[in-house]
Amino acid sequence: MKKNTIFLAAAAALLALSCTNLDVDVKSLYTEYPTTDVALEAKMADVYYCFRGALGRRFGESSSLSSDEQTAISFDGDYYDGGTYAHSALHNYSPDDASIGWYGDLAAGITKANKAILDLGGYESPASAYARAMRAFYLFLLMDNYGDVPIIDGPVEEGQVIERQPRAKVAEWLESELVEIIPLLTEDVTVATYGKPTKWMAEALLAKIYLNWPVYTASDVTAYDAATASNAKLNDLVALCDDVIASGKFSLAGGEQSGNGGTPLNPYRAKFYPNNGPQIKDFIYAMPYDAITQQGFQYARPRIWRQGRNDGNGGAGYFGTDIGASCGGNFSVTPEAAARFDAAAAEGDLRADQVIRGKIYMYDPVTWEVTNTPYLYKGEEVVLTNTVTLKVNDENLNTGKDVNGWSQGYKSVKYFVIQDDYKNGRNQSNDLPIFRYADILLMKAEAIVRGATATNGDTAASLVNQVRSYAKAPAKSAVDLAVIENERALEFFDENWRRNDMIRFGHFENEYCFHRKDFPTANFDKTRRILPIPTGVLNENTNWKQNPGY
């Protein structure tokens, strides 16, 4: 179990300010500014971690299920849950779906950041740059997922009418804000800065905005066309990536450990183990989780084979122990993603082991390495299919309530589960990466392919091959956009970037899994590139209109 690196007592001081409402009064409650590191930590803790709960479950549901990474399934009614998961998989969202209902969490994070800025002395105080960075991150997520959103950069007075701003204006505001604060943020990369904004986090965020600049600045979400899009920010993107690279503070390798602290057989998998943390050199910015003190990361439950808790007879499940609570198993890897992983496995690519493919094997409960011992459920081997077959082609996405139904599709095992964690409300201690050094390399490679000037002797191929070499995959002699998109799909699987990538590459409206044109409720309207505004948010902001198409 990794050590807790956050000042929890200080964080508790802000728990009274819950992450719920956009219109919380942000006038200062303090008459004196914090003068010590502990006081500053207390002030900022709730700003840093306000989105932890939604990020650890619901955000990942909408991001992964709406892409070609994973699909929802149900089992004769089990885990249909009002269709919230199926709606994402079919792009048939409802404003009342729980999986897309985290707008308020982000809006509250912005409110908390604005309050912290005031309490820290306003924009003139260098300490306020950290609250501004978090505000920019939350606003970016709102803009990326919901389109036109408010720019709230100060106190919200009682009765003040909040207006949404065009997405392009939001992107431009974010650019100016990040350019201004980047020089004010620390360049340190230590245990103390882990999970908090740094110069490098802000540069990675701005690089993401530049990478998707044509998407965000299109006249509306349906107007973006990947085939004809022109990006004027590509050289600026490369400059940001070069700055992160030149810092020397990050690398693809470093810090990976097996469950007992030894050298892992698959260092790529080990980046996402329960003992990951500030020692992982690839992590530029991550959300820290701990199953006891920093709860909220609950990716495992829907991704574990339905009965994988144990062997059906009270013995160990495939994680090497009875993990102590039931599993859902209602997310399966799509056939399209399965094909990518099968191809990667054939090349010896370490990233293929992010998913359980075909026959399930046991994991060692001490080292967390996969073994050669088959997992048995009630005495029988379990074999996962690389396709997903439904009993009836309807929105229930029902595969059946038996071993055959539970075994439709490969399963993600990216975030390894241990009993000590999972028995605590199915929480996990795996930290969730948000920006990684591998992403910096692949963003620069993509920018070069799209027309940016190559720098520092790098080529698109040399950058891609750095990532592939770490993963033990054979080098590519030539790189185009298709190669980069596939590389990103492997490298960042289940890290909440695939939806973002598919929109940029122009493939979000493709047919994949049950998002097919012959499927009764699958939606292919380009308006689905953004989510509907949740009903509760519209009820609080009665002057707003629902996003087009909903």
Side-chain angles (χ1 to χ4, degrees):
M1 191 74 65
K2 60 175 176 281
K3 293 181 179 179
N4 179 13
T5 60
I6 309 301
F7 291 96
L8 294 172
L14 291 181
L15 288 180
L17 297 173
S18 63
C19 299
T20 54
N21 194 330
L22 178 70
D23 295 326
V24 174
D25 183 3
V26 296
K27 291 181 179 179
S28 177
L29 300 177
Y30 297 84
T31 57
E32 296 182 0
Y33 302 143
T35 57
T36 68
D37 288 344
V38 172
L40 177 61
E41 188 72 20
K43 178 66 59 182
M44 291 299 298
D46 207 26
V47 177
Y48 294 148
Y49 309 120
C50 183
F51 195 52
R52 175 183 277 145
L55 186 66
R57 181 185 173 187
R58 295 299 193 185
F59 182 80
E61 290 172 4
S62 64
S63 298
S64 186
L65 291 176
S66 64
S67 75
D68 68 354
E69 285 188 337
Q70 299 185 77
T71 186
I73 56 176
S74 68
F75 315 114
D76 290 346
D78 286 356
Y79 291 96
Y80 176 66
D81 290 4
T84 186
Y85 314 120
H87 292 165
S88 286
L90 298 169
H91 295 190
N92 190 30
Y93 312 101
S94 163
D96 298 309
D97 285 339
S99 291
I100 63 165
W102 31 267
Y103 187 111
D105 297 85
L106 290 169
I110 292 171
T111 297
K112 291 173 183 293
N114 281 329
K115 183 183 182 306
I117 290 167
L118 290 179
D119 293 341
L120 293 169
Y123 287 1
E124 299 304 313
S125 168
S128 70
Y130 297 90
R132 293 169 70 183
M134 291 308 301
R135 181 177 67 182
F137 176 60
Y138 295 145
L139 184 57
F140 162 74
L141 292 179
L142 278 179
M143 173 195 71
D144 181 63
N145 287 277
Y146 295 100
D148 298 350
V149 293
I151 300 172
I152 302 177
D153 58 355
V156 176
E157 303 292 343
E158 184 176 353
Q160 179 180 340
V161 176
I162 308 274
E163 298 288 352
R164 297 165 70 188
Q165 299 298 323
R167 201 184 202 190
K169 184 175 180 180
V170 178
E172 291 164 357
W173 186 89
L174 284 169
E175 176 189 29
S176 64
E177 178 76 351
L178 288 167
V179 166
E180 183 174 330
I181 66 172
I182 281 171
L184 306 176
L185 297 169
T186 183
E187 297 184 6
D188 292 345
V189 178
T190 66
V191 171
T193 64
Y194 183 71
K196 302 169 187 175
T198 63
K199 174 183 176 180
W200 319 113
M201 173 270 203
E203 287 192 333
L205 173 57
L206 184 54
K208 281 288 183 185
I209 294 170
Y210 283 160
L211 186 65
N212 292 279
W213 195 256
V215 177
Y216 300 144
T217 58
S219 57
D220 66 66
V221 295
T222 68
Y224 172 72
D225 178 48
T228 60
S230 176
N231 189 341
K233 299 294 185 178
L234 293 176
N235 286 327
D236 295 322
L237 188 163
V238 167
L240 290 167
C241 293
D242 281 345
D243 201 40
V244 176
I245 294 168
S247 74
K249 296 178 181 292
F250 308 97
S251 64
L252 295 173
E256 305 92 339
Q257 296 179 348
S258 64
N260 62 357
T263 301
L265 297 178
N266 186 326
Y268 177 85
R269 275 192 62 231
K271 291 182 184 183
F272 311 99
Y273 280 168
N275 62 3
N276 67 354
Q279 77 278 7
I280 302 296
K281 300 292 288 183
D282 187 29
F283 289 4
I284 295 173
Y285 176 58
M287 181 60 69
Y289 288 94
D290 181 274
I292 307 298
T293 58
Q294 300 166 303
Q295 294 183 339
F297 191 65
Q298 298 180 333
Y299 271 38
R301 186 182 188 185
R303 292 161 172 82
I304 299 174
W305 186 71
R306 179 71 178 92
Q307 304 298 339
R309 165 188 174 170
N310 55 33
D311 67 355
N313 294 312
Y318 58 79
F319 290 105
T321 61
D322 182 328
I323 56 176
S326 63
C327 311
N330 56 307
F331 292 5
S332 286
V333 175
T334 67
E336 290 75 17
R340 285 195 291 268
F341 285 114
D342 286 343
E347 293 185 328
D349 192 324
L350 297 178
R351 295 170 297 188
D353 292 342
Q354 296 178 84
V355 300
I356 300 173
R357 304 164 37 256
K359 186 185 296 185
I360 300 180
Y361 290 90
M362 297 291 289
Y363 289 88
D364 186 306
V366 176
T367 65
W368 308 334
E369 305 286 3
V370 68
T371 73
N372 294 321
T373 302
Y375 163 68
L376 302 181
Y377 175 69
K378 295 188 175 179
E380 300 291 333
E381 294 183 352
V382 177
V383 180
L384 305 180
T385 64
N386 59 5
T387 58
V388 182
T389 302
L390 303 180
K391 294 176 72 172
V392 179
N393 279 347
D394 62 22
E395 190 181 81
N396 290 286
L397 304 185
N398 178 26
T399 58
K401 193 174 182 177
D402 54 23
V403 170
N404 177 69
W406 300 327
S407 304
Q408 295 299 307
Y410 296 166
K411 296 293 181 183
S412 172
V413 70
K414 183 157 192 162
Y415 302 101
F416 193 85
V417 181
I418 58 175
Q419 183 192 62
D420 283 349
D421 286 351
Y422 196 74
K423 68 184 181 183
N424 292 293
R426 300 185 182 86
N427 287 285
Q428 299 170 252
S429 295
N430 317 62
D431 292 352
L432 179 65
I434 297 169
F435 300 126
R436 295 205 277 123
Y437 183 69
D439 207 350
I440 294 296
L441 299 179
L442 292 181
M443 283 196 289
K444 181 176 180 180
E446 184 177 335
I448 292 171
V449 172
R450 293 186 183 276
T453 301
T455 59
N456 301 329
D458 291 328
T459 65
S462 70
L463 292 161
V464 167
N465 285 332
Q466 287 185 54
V467 178
R468 289 182 64 80
S469 176
Y470 174 85
K472 309 300 182 186
K476 294 285 187 181
S477 58
V479 168
D480 58 13
L481 288 179
V483 168
I484 290 175
E485 184 182 10
N486 187 73
E487 200 67 28
R488 293 188 61 83
L490 290 170
E491 182 68 26
F492 306 115
F493 171 77
D494 221 356
E495 294 180 47
N496 302 317
W497 288 116
R498 182 62 179 158
R499 168 195 159 273
N500 178 284
D501 287 347
M502 291 186 75
I503 293 170
R504 182 176 69 258
F505 283 100
H507 296 152
F508 193 62
E509 288 82 38
N510 284 10
E511 293 186 273
Y512 39 90
C513 201
F514 304 118
H515 185 247
R516 300 194 308 262
K517 292 183 178 177
D518 62 352
F519 200 89
T521 56
N523 194 301
F524 288 82
D525 198 298
K526 293 179 181 178
T527 57
R528 266 50 190 174
R529 294 172 179 175
I530 56 173
L531 303 173
I533 303 296
T535 298
V537 176
L538 289 179
N539 289 341
E540 291 179 1
N541 299 275
T542 56
N543 56 310
W544 292 9
K545 294 182 179 179
Q546 182 56 271
N547 281 334
Y550 295 103

